[in-house]
Amino acid sequence: MTNQVLTEFLLHIGDSQLILSHRLAEWCGHAPELELDIALANIGLDLLGQARTALSLAGEVEGLGRDEDKLAYFRTEREYRNLLLSEQPNGDIAQTIVRQWLMDHYHALLFGALVQSQHAALSAFAVKTLKEVKYHLRFSTAWMERLSLGTAEAHDKIQHGLNQLWRFTEELFVLTADEKQLVESGVIPEGGALKKQWLDTIQSELNRFQLTLPETGAYRSGAKQGLHTEHLGYVLAELQYVQRSYPNMNW
């Protein structure tokens, strides 16, 4: 049971990074300035590398002979476990920055805690990933500050992006009943304490950016049960097209 639960947790991590990476790749050649274009592409590549590591580890723990390619390209929408926040459309550049900033703060806490994991491979993965996450967070925070404290139009767009995405943040730190076994064995952190730290930090930063925390409302969740928004199917159709059209092809 422990291996199955750990596999699901690793798929949750790997899928979230993979889908967020794909979203950032959609900006390649389309971002409003060259520096931003290159930065988003590089962050996307970091996330892709993290996805490969997490999915490879998931395949090893699962023990069914599926590597990262099989897991990425040959699972259906309902089999994906990525966070709903990661699959949301880019919108304008302000909404993309807000999404990245929310995810970066989540990643900083999650991987910071996973460094202490009793699972050696997961801990090593977290140590490497945390170095990248710190850069990602500096980048997204700098752009949040630049846009929210810039022109009135930029401020309004950042606030609009935050309002659009906030309903997908509730599930960031939600653990399943089975995952609590991993908490008890010291493999993964308990979600409640991380959530409080995340909310406190987000609120403090929003005050600094002169932004308003959206009202709590109808939160969306379901990632770990394979219940996604309508957007994931379109992402997977593009992501998986070549392998599904020409299975087992190599470069």
Side-chain angles (χ1 to χ4, degrees):
M1 171 62 91
T2 301
N3 279 0
Q4 181 183 347
V5 177
L6 181 55
T7 298
E8 286 289 311
F9 179 78
L10 288 166
L11 289 175
H12 173 63
I13 298 296
D15 291 348
S16 295
Q17 309 306 71
L18 179 62
I19 299 304
L20 186 57
S21 170
H22 190 83
R23 281 300 192 202
L24 293 183
E26 292 174 345
W27 275 110
C28 191
H30 299 282
E33 65 178 50
L34 183 59
E35 182 182 357
L36 187 55
D37 194 300
I38 294 172
L40 291 175
N42 283 331
I43 292 171
L45 287 174
D46 286 344
L47 293 168
L48 182 60
Q50 294 166 20
R52 288 194 64 184
T53 301
L55 294 179
S56 294
L57 186 55
E60 292 172 13
V61 173
E62 181 185 49
L64 297 179
R66 296 195 293 179
D67 61 11
E68 72 270 26
D69 290 332
K70 288 286 194 302
L71 289 169
Y73 296 125
F74 295 101
R75 282 183 298 142
T76 65
E77 180 181 341
R78 289 298 296 269
E79 293 173 299
Y80 260 69
R81 298 293 182 259
N82 61 282
L83 288 163
L84 300 186
L85 180 58
S86 69
E87 70 194 43
Q88 297 312 300
N90 289 328
D92 57 22
I93 196 65
Q95 182 164 309
T96 292
I97 292 297
V98 171
R99 184 188 61 203
Q100 191 63 37
W101 180 72
L102 293 171
M103 290 290 291
D104 288 342
H105 274 293
Y106 160 70
H107 288 151
L109 288 173
L110 175 65
F111 288 110
L114 286 174
V115 166
Q116 305 299 323
S117 174
Q118 295 301 304
H119 191 282
L122 183 54
S123 175
F125 168 50
V127 170
K128 180 179 183 297
T129 299
L130 191 58
K131 296 175 183 177
E132 297 172 338
V133 168
K134 288 178 179 179
Y135 161 70
H136 300 169
L137 182 55
R138 287 199 302 270
F139 171 83
S140 61
T141 299
W143 274 96
M144 283 289 292
E145 181 174 16
R146 183 180 302 181
L147 294 174
S148 63
L149 300 179
T151 66
E153 180 182 6
H155 180 276
D156 289 345
K157 285 182 178 292
I158 285 286
Q159 184 66 61
H160 176 73
L162 185 64
N163 294 343
Q164 289 293 105
L165 296 171
W166 188 253
R167 65 185 182 276
F168 300 107
T169 61
E170 176 67 16
E171 70 170 359
L172 293 178
F173 301 101
V174 174
L175 299 179
T176 66
D178 289 338
E179 284 174 340
K180 292 177 182 178
Q181 299 175 41
L182 300 180
V183 174
E184 293 169 1
S185 57
V187 175
I188 66 173
E190 199 281 318
L194 295 184
K195 180 180 178 181
K196 184 180 186 307
Q197 292 180 58
W198 184 85
L199 280 173
D200 288 347
T201 301
I202 293 295
Q203 180 66 79
S204 175
E205 289 287 89
L206 290 180
N207 290 340
R208 183 165 72 88
F209 299 147
Q210 300 176 20
L211 296 168
T212 303
L213 188 73
E215 293 183 9
T216 55
Y219 286 112
R220 294 288 302 275
S221 61
K224 293 180 180 179
Q225 292 76 42
L227 304 176
H228 296 279
T229 64
E230 66 273 20
H231 306 296
L232 181 62
Y234 294 100
V235 174
L236 293 183
E238 187 173 75
L239 177 70
Q240 298 176 337
Y241 172 77
V242 173
Q243 273 292 342
R244 287 185 176 272
S245 299
Y246 307 99
N248 301 318
M249 291 290 287
N250 296 312
W251 290 103

